[in-house]
Amino acid sequence: MSGERIRFDPEALRSFTSRAFSHFGIPEQDASLAADVLAYSDEHGIDSHGVARLKTYVDLLEAGRINPRPKLKIVREKHAVATVDGDNGLGLVVGPKCMEMAIEKARLHGQGSVSVCHTNHYGAAGYYPLMAVRQDLIGMSMTNTSKGVAPFNGIEKMLGTNPLAMGFPTGDEPTVLMDFASSTVAYGKVEIAWRAGENVPLGWCLDEQGRPTTEPERMMQGGALLPLGSTKEGSGHKGYCIGGIVDIMTAVLSGANWGPFAIPFAIDSPQSEKQVGKGIGHFFGAWDVEGFRDLAAFKSDLDAWIQTMRTTRHLPGGPEVQIPGDPEWAAYRIRMKEGIPLQVAVVRDLERIAAVLGIPAP
């Protein structure tokens, strides 16, 4: 069956991923950190950004396209803000370290903002704000990505899926977590449909001629994703604006490659001959709630906000209203008990990685 899934023990996947990264000389602590970022995705139901991406990281490391031992450097700093050069390191390592820097600045100044250049794909955006939330701070992360999305009214790939994520600390209720691409859908979800031999909904993609298509391969072979909202009637111009904000904040601000010049994540994707910066870019933010109001009062009011939204009358016969983050927490409860369901194609990739690197398969 095209949609067949095989379940794996979460800890076994973490261990395998960490070993794979260590094979390339990535220090043990950094390898474990990178594995944690990927595990977050698989454990919380974000299948497009977990071990399904491991093959691409391995390919890039094998080709020497990622520095396994980067030395991060602050290239500019002013009180609560800084820009960091990631030394072409693994984004799964550079990202958490720079988010921690933003958190430290928020502790010192009430807020902290760190832009990053010369880095690579950093996994799921939602991982990073949760680092701040665990310390009772509001957190945010953004990243630009290789081109895959057409600007509103365009048919060429010019922007990445450029995700944005924010997390908010709560009291008795689950953390509020918003994590979304500025495109109608993340590229990884198109890949999942392609592996399963399935079509995608109309409104996600254009083909190479700029016509709407439901065939994943038509988008992947010369087409483009659409910005969030898709059409004029769906306010696609707003998704284009969000994608532009992310591109400017992560890349133009940090000195990374922006727009169509962003470094491609897939090793077999052609790279632009023109470079307008260094690597791809991230942006991390953290805010100390106590600088705005009493933390306990904020949490109590946010709990009330959550409870109010949950009791909204919903569409007849439809699901109840959810809070941003609910799908992730629900997936986590199930997957930590029943295992991580991986597509057969992903399992085969992991088996090939194990054979090539000479490490036990998960």
Side-chain angles (χ1 to χ4, degrees), residues 180-191:
F180 57 96
S182 57
S183 51
T184 301
V185 68
Y187 180 77
K189 291 189 177 180
V190 178
E191 283 185 313

Side-chain angles (χ1 to χ4, degrees), residues 49-310:
H49 285 65
V51 291
R53 290 279 187 230
L54 183 59
K55 180 182 182 299
T56 304
Y57 292 114
V58 167
D59 287 344
L60 291 170
L61 285 161
E62 278 188 323
R65 299 257 291 268
I66 291 178
N67 181 359
R69 292 178 174 267
K71 295 181 179 179
L72 276 60
K73 179 183 178 183
I74 296 175
V75 295
R76 194 177 185 95
E77 187 172 25
K78 188 174 183 180
H79 307 303
V81 303
T83 295
V84 172
D85 185 315
D87 196 23
N88 195 33
L90 190 64
L92 306 172
V93 173
V94 175
K97 291 183 177 181
C98 290
M99 184 69 211
E100 191 58 49
M101 187 182 300
I103 290 170
E104 290 172 4
K105 286 184 172 295
R107 288 292 184 209
L108 183 62
H109 301 290
Q111 62 180 341
S113 300
V114 176
S115 67
V116 191
C117 67
H118 205 189
T119 179
N120 290 280
H121 192 276
Y122 78 168
Y127 178 89
Y128 301 96
L130 290 179
M131 292 175 61
V133 169
R134 292 187 195 104
Q135 300 188 43
D136 279 333
L137 303 172
I138 294 170
M140 178 182 70
S141 84
M142 313 177 199
T143 185
N144 78 327
T145 64
S146 53
K147 64 179 182 179
V149 183
F152 185 64
N153 286 336
I155 64 173
E156 291 183 83
K157 297 175 181 174
M158 298 297 282
L159 289 169
T161 55
N162 293 7
L164 163 66
M166 290 195 72
F168 301 86
T170 53
D172 297 326
E173 296 291 340
T175 298
V176 175
L177 176 66
M178 290 99 165
D179 178 1
F180 57 96
S182 57
S183 51
T184 301
V185 68
Y187 180 77
K189 291 189 177 180
V190 178
E191 283 185 313
I192 289 171
W194 172 70
R195 289 192 206 104
E198 299 171 350
N199 283 345
V200 298
L202 195 64
W204 282 16
C205 308
L206 298 176
D207 67 13
E208 65 279 5
Q209 300 299 322
R211 298 170 300 205
T213 182
T214 61
E215 301 175 47
E217 60 272 18
R218 300 301 296 273
M219 176 267 149
M220 297 166 74
Q221 298 172 6
L225 293 171
L226 286 163
L228 187 62
S230 186
T231 62
K232 180 180 180 181
E233 293 72 24
S235 296
H237 59 286
K238 296 180 181 179
Y240 172 40
C241 288
I242 295 171
I245 289 169
V246 173
D247 208 43
I248 293 167
M249 291 294 289
T250 61
V252 178
L253 187 63
S254 71
N257 287 293
W258 43 262
F261 309 109
I263 303 298
F265 179 45
I267 193 168
D268 55 355
S269 296
Q271 183 171 316
S272 170
E273 293 183 5
K274 179 179 179 181
Q275 296 291 286
V276 294
K278 297 166 70 177
I280 66 165
H282 313 318
F283 184 90
F284 302 101
W287 293 267
D288 189 342
V289 176
E290 289 281 4
F292 298 95
R293 64 179 302 199
D294 178 74
L295 176 63
F298 172 80
K299 287 183 171 183
S300 177
D301 280 355
L302 187 50
D303 281 355
W305 183 90
I306 292 169
Q307 291 155 12
T308 300
M309 294 301 156
R310 285 200 197 284

